[in-house]
């Protein structure tokens, strides 16, 4: 009886071992619950294709505006010179010089101031002209050139439009008789200057003098050209 009992216990143990092994092999046996299997969604995410979008940190936050003044493709266009050709008539510096060919000149002794004469130059041309500096005077065959009255130097060149007149006063002699070499002139030549002092301004003029002539001495001196007769006779 004891031998049969031992055989039965051995058979029962073998059967239990076989069943336990079978359960492990077909996946129904016990598992280690401490290691969780990955979920389906997590598994799927690892098998999906990588996104084609670049990470936000790789995209520049904003593209700075380009400086069009420095960009080689944005060269500033060259400013073309104006094709307009301004008329010389609008540029006083381009005016002709007043002289004996485009003016008439008169010489008239005056009673006040004493021992003075007034020269008047009228533009008889069709364009403006400039009266520059002062008249260069010569009575008869005199060999010296009178110096101008420097205090009469104007602020700007006198410009005469057609029909306008300019003026110069002439001190003929010292009122107190202090001048030397006094004599009477019968012929007066008025010479003009150009753009620089003592330069040739063109044709001279020979205004008519009174029949008795004009007395002058070593103090003979003209003013610079003026725009009014009053200014010319104020020196």
């Amino acid at each position: 009886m004891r031998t049969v009992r031992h055989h039965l216990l051995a058979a029962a143990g073998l059967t239990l071992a076989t069943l336990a092994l079978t359960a492990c092999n077909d996946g129904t046996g016990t598992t280690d619950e401490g290691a969780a299997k990955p979920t389906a969604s997590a598994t799927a995410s690892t098998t999906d294709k990588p996104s084609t979008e670049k990470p936000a940190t790789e995209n520049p936050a904003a593209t700075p505006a380009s400086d069009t003044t420095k960009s080689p493709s944005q060269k500033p266009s060259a400013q073309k010179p104006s094709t307009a050709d301004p008329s010389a008539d609008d540029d006083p510096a381009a005016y002709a010089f007043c002289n004996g060919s485009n003016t008439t000149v008169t010489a008239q002794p005056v009673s006040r101031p004493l021992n003075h004469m007034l020269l008047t130059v009228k533009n008889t041309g069709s364009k403006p002209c400039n009266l520059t500096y002062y008249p260069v005077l010569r009575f008869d065959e005199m060999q010296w050139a009178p110096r101008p009255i420097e205090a009469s130097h104007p602020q700007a060149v006198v410009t005469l439009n057609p029909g306008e007149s300019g003026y110069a006063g002439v001190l003929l002699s010292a009122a107190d008789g202090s001048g030397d070499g006094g004599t009477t002139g019968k012929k007066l030549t008025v010479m003009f200057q150009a753009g620089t002092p003592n330069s040739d301004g063109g044709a001279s003029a020979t205004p008519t003098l009174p029949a008795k002539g004009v007395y002058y001495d070593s103090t003979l001196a003209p003013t610079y050209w003026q725009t009014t007769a009053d200014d010319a006779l104020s020196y």
Side-chain angles (χ1 to χ4, degrees):
M1 288 297 291
R2 182 173 296 181
T3 302
V4 173
R5 191 173 183 180
H6 283 169
H7 284 294
L8 289 174
L9 290 174
L14 179 61
T15 302
L16 290 174
T18 302
L19 290 174
L21 181 60
T22 303
C24 291
N25 290 334
D26 63 7
T28 60
T30 60
T31 60
D32 186 358
E33 295 180 358
K37 292 182 179 180
T39 62
S41 60
T43 304
S45 65
T46 59
T47 57
D48 288 343
K49 294 181 179 180
S51 172
T52 57
E53 295 182 1
K54 294 182 179 180
T57 56
E58 294 181 2
N59 291 331
T63 302
S66 60
D67 186 353
T68 57
T69 61
K70 295 182 180 180
S71 174
S73 61
Q74 298 289 336
K75 294 181 180 179
S77 58
Q79 185 176 9
K80 295 182 180 180
S82 172
T83 56
D85 182 16
S87 171
D89 290 344
D90 297 330
D91 182 8
Y95 293 163
F97 298 108
C98 300
N99 56 39
S101 67
N102 54 13
T103 65
T104 58
V105 181
T106 60
Q108 180 64 46
V110 296
S111 57
R112 292 288 185 273
L114 190 64
N115 302 334
H116 276 68
M117 180 174 67
L118 178 66
L119 295 179
T120 302
V121 176
K122 182 178 181 179
N123 184 354
T124 58
S126 60
K127 296 182 179 180
C129 65
N130 289 330
L131 267 176
T132 54
Y133 301 105
Y134 54 89
V136 178
L137 306 178
R138 186 177 67 186
F139 281 105
D140 300 318
E141 300 300 325
M142 63 186 296
Q143 300 299 311
W144 56 280
R147 299 301 303 162
I149 301 172
E150 291 296 338
S152 66
H153 199 298
Q155 295 295 320
V157 173
V158 175
T159 298
L160 302 181
N161 288 315
E164 292 182 343
S165 296
Y167 307 88
V170 181
L171 171 63
L172 294 171
S173 60
D176 59 2
S178 59
D180 298 325
T183 186
T184 298
K186 297 293 186 176
K187 178 183 177 181
L188 174 64
T189 301
V190 178
M191 291 167 281
F192 299 87
Q193 300 183 65
T196 57
N198 302 315
S199 57
D200 185 2
S204 60
T206 54
T208 301
L209 295 177
K212 63 178 183 179
V214 173
Y215 179 84
Y216 68 93
D217 63 20
S218 59
T219 62
L220 177 67
T223 67
Y224 282 78
W225 294 112
Q226 308 292 323
T227 56
T228 68
D230 288 343
D231 288 342
L233 293 174
S234 63
Y235 298 95

